[in-house]
């Protein structure tokens, strides 16, 4: 049977069955369908609820839709007026308040986190040292107390204003924040006025010298204080009400500003930490006073509320690094070294928690530790004040045996008289001296470590606002070297001499070697040429190494999505350091080859403990050290 016949038969059976069972008794199929009522579709009442509009923390808006045909674009005009439709806000003097915004009480928004930052800076401000690197080799010597470095940027002069620039730009663009124009301007003006008062009074009272020796107004840092006032403005106006990433941007740029002030040698780390503390405290106090004056007027948005107790976070941190402050090298019985200050530590850190207690994450850490004392490496290029002639005297005396008086001082004075170097005029000095200028240029006075680590994070809630934390990290540490260049210039000298070697029996020196005598020697004469020399005086670096870290922290969650954290971290790594030291490079450049050879031989007659056995060649030192670092700091967290 064909398929179409089968389908036709099935349709006929179904029709008969419907006629028998589906229609009222005595009614034909046609009459049944003609008498059917049309199908009615009942439309239920629809209710739309808009969450998170500009109506406060817990306000919702109910809109009744009675028909399917009512498009959303025909909603009430008042509803459209409250949406985030863009339009510039130029109402600088007109005050307005959005309905449903909860007013702030006096000191309702204070965290006091600026206080420990300021105190930490005050506590370490004595950990400073003056650098004297400019030394003109003239009679009596002239030196400047300053730190010269090739690193220089003017970006920090502009990044200090990043916060207020962003707030004003967003506000002008119609992007509503916490306050209207009158309240915003009052809060900002109050914050900057309080900061300026604190900074200027302390600067003129403390009179701390800057690292570059320019002025005695180093502590605290005004640039850093200004930057953190701006960051706190951006945090309060848009970070708390719009997106936490505005806060991250503000505090991140402010932290970078403080670090650049240190790298520019305009401030010590203590100045930056105290400046950051003053900036945060001043803004919180300025807003508290304006909350007292304005009460509920001029508020446009409430703080965001994040209904999430998960401790996942992203943070930026600034800290003080302790430990590992001495570095010594030993070679052939000789020990040389230098001392470091407390380190500047900046972190970016984040972790994802599976629950309230355990998570995984990572940390990027920059640890810059500057030199406090160059120690034995500061003797020939004038990192500290020296008389260049006195340091070179053993070489010249050894080159002219028997031509001097009975005492070393008479010897040198006699020599200076003979060659005319006793003149008090710069012209005579520059015309005759083999070395007319010698100084060091500190290209980097920091040993900087970049460490990337990953590991496990732990959290122990203590209350709704406080929790303890710890972590176990492993990572890799890369070191950027300390670098000092030398610069010297002078008059090219030549020395005429003949030497005799006496190896007859009985004519031996103390070591049993043949005696060497200078049979004919002339004083150094100008060749008529000038010389200049720039070279690597000292470099200290280390190989990359594995780093292990842990720590303990106390977190205060003062908003649903923002926290402050005090932490104490411990990090361990083993470093292989190498120091290349070349103090006498300029001597070879400033003399002819024959004179340089004689100077090199003269080292055996020197009584200078640093030059004895060193000669004129560069010296390399190596050491392996176990580095134990402790970091105390403060973190700003965005809870994710």
């Amino acid at each position: 049977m064909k398929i179409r016949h089968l389908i036709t038969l099935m349709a006929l059976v179904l029709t008969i069955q419907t006629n028998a069972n589906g229609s009222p008794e005595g009614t034909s199929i046609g009459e049944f369908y003609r008498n059917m009522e049309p199908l009615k579709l009942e439309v239920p009442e629809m209710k739309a609820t808009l969450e998170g509009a500009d109506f406060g923390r817990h306000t919702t808006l109910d809109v009744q839709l009675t028909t399917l045909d009512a498009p959303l674009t025909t909603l009430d005009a008042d509803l459209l007026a409250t949406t985030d439709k863009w339009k510039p806000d130029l109402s600088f003097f007109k005050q307005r308040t959005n309905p449903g915004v909860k007013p702030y009480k006096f000191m309702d928004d204070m965290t006091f986190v600026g206080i420990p930052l300021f105190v930490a800076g005050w506590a370490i401000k004595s950990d400073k040292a003056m650098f004297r690197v400019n030394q003109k080799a003239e009679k009596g010597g002239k030196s400047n107390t300053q730190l010269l470095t090739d690193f220089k940027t003017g970006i920090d002069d502009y990044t200090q204003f990043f916060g207020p620039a962003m707030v004003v730009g967003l506000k002008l663009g119609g992007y509503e924040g916490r306050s209207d124009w009158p309240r915003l301007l009052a809060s900002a003006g109050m914050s900057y006025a309080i900061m300026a008062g604190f900074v200027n009074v302390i600067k003129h009272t403390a009179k701390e010298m800057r690292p570059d020796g320019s002025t005695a107004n180093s502590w605290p840092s005004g640039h850093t204080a200004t930057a953190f006032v701006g960051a706190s403005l951006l945090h309060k106006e848009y970070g708390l009400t719009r997106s936490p990433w505005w806060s991250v941007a503000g505090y991140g740029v402010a932290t970078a500003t403080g670090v650049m002030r240190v790298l520019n040698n305009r401030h010590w780390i203590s100045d930056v930490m105290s400046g950051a503390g003053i900036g945060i405290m001043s803004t919180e106090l300025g807003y508290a006073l304006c909350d007292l004056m304005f009460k509920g007027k001029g508020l446009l948005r409430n703080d965001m509320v994040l209904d999430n107790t998960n401790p996942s976070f992203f943070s930026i941190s600034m800290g003080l690094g302790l430990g590992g402050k001495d570095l010594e090298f030993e070679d052939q019985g000789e020990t040389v070294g230098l001392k470091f200050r407390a380190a500047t530590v900046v972190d970016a850190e984040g972790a994802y928690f599976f629950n309230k207690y355990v998570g995984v994450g990572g940390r990027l850490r920059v640890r810059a530790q500057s030199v406090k004392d160059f120690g034995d490496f500061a003797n020939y290029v004038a990192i500290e004040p020296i008389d260049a002639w006195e340091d070179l005297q053993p070489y010249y005396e050894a080159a002219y045996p028997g031509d001097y008086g009975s005492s070393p001082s008479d010897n040198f004075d006699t020599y200076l008289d003979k060659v005319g170097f006793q003149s008090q005029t710069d012209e005579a000095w520059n015309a005759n001296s083999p070395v007319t200028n010698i100084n060091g240029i500190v290209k980097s006075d920091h040993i900087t470590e970049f460490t990337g680590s990953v590991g496990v994070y732990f959290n122990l809630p203590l209350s709704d606002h406080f929790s303890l934390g710890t972590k176990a990290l492993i990572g890799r540490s890369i070191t950027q070297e300390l670098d000092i260049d030398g610069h010297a210039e002078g008059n090219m000298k030549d020395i005429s001499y003949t030497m005799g070697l006496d190896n007859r029996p009985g004519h031996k020196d103390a070591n049993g070697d043949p005696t060497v005598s200078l049979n004919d020697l002339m004083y150094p004469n100008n060749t008529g040429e000038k010389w200049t020399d720039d070279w690597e005086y000292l470099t200290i670096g280390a190989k990359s190494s594995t780093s292990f870290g842990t720590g303990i922290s106390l977190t205060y969650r003062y908003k649903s999505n923002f926290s402050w954290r005090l932490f104490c971290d411990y990090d361990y790594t083993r470093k292989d350091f190498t120091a290349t030291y070349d103090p006498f490079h300029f001597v070879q450049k400033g003399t002819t080859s024959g004179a340089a050879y004689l100077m090199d031989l003269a080292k055996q007659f020197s009584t200078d403990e640093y030059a004895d056995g060193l000669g004129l060649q560069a010296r390399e030192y190596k050491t392996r050290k176990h580095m134990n670092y402790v970091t105390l700091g403060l973190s700003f967290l965005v809870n994710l």
Side-chain angles (χ1 to χ4, degrees), residues 23-282:
S23 61
E25 184 176 354
T27 304
S28 66
I29 297 175
E31 292 177 347
F32 171 77
Y33 282 107
R34 283 192 298 270
N35 294 332
M36 286 183 63
E37 294 287 338
L39 181 64
K40 294 182 179 180
L41 178 63
E42 294 185 2
V43 181
E45 182 182 38
M46 300 184 67
K47 179 179 180 180
T49 302
L50 301 183
E51 300 283 356
D54 296 337
F55 307 100
R57 288 182 181 144
H58 307 292
T59 306
T60 58
L61 178 66
D62 294 336
V63 181
Q64 301 296 326
L65 304 180
T66 56
T67 67
L68 282 177
D69 297 329
L72 291 178
T73 54
T74 62
L75 291 176
D76 189 90
D78 292 337
L79 172 61
L80 293 177
T82 61
T83 61
D84 290 333
K85 183 179 180 180
W86 179 87
K87 68 175 182 177
D89 185 356
L90 304 177
S91 303
F92 300 108
F93 306 105
K94 181 180 179 181
Q95 190 164 29
R96 64 188 181 93
T97 305
N98 283 343
V101 181
K102 178 184 176 182
Y104 293 89
K105 298 179 181 178
F106 177 59
M107 298 181 69
D108 188 30
D109 215 25
M110 296 280 285
T111 65
F112 302 99
V113 296
I115 296 177
L117 269 176
F118 175 82
V119 171
W122 173 79
I124 66 169
K125 74 184 185 70
S126 61
D127 189 21
K128 301 178 176 72
M130 294 296 101
F131 291 79
R132 297 170 174 87
V133 297
N134 275 354
Q135 172 70 36
K136 187 173 182 180
E138 62 181 313
K139 185 63 179 177
K142 292 181 180 179
S143 62
N144 296 321
T145 301
Q146 57 182 308
L147 173 63
L148 300 181
T149 175
D150 278 358
F151 182 90
K152 181 63 179 177
T153 179
I155 298 176
D156 49 350
D157 291 331
Y158 304 99
T159 54
Q160 62 176 321
F161 302 115
F162 173 80
M166 291 301 302
V167 170
V168 172
L170 292 170
K171 189 72 173 169
L172 286 175
Y175 192 62
E176 274 189 354
R178 179 187 196 263
S179 313
D180 65 357
W181 275 112
R183 184 164 183 152
L184 169 62
L185 294 175
S187 300
M190 190 81 70
S191 301
Y192 280 108
I194 295 172
M195 178 273 295
F198 273 125
V199 168
N200 285 288
V201 168
I202 298 174
K203 276 180 177 288
H204 291 91
T205 302
K207 297 182 178 180
E208 290 283 342
M209 184 64 68
R210 293 181 183 270
D212 61 4
S214 57
T215 54
N217 60 349
S218 186
W219 182 72
S221 169
H223 277 66
T224 308
T226 301
F228 272 87
V229 169
S232 298
L233 289 175
L234 186 59
H235 166 63
K236 286 183 174 294
E237 289 295 327
Y238 291 100
L240 290 174
T241 63
R242 285 290 195 172
S243 170
W245 298 109
W246 290 117
S247 302
V248 172
Y251 283 116
V253 173
T255 301
T257 302
V259 172
M260 283 188 285
R261 297 304 286 170
V262 175
L263 295 178
N264 273 334
N265 299 298
R266 295 291 290 166
H267 282 289
W268 312 94
I269 178 60
S270 57
D271 307 337
V272 167
M273 296 188 72
S274 292
I278 289 176
I280 296 173
M281 285 191 300
S282 298

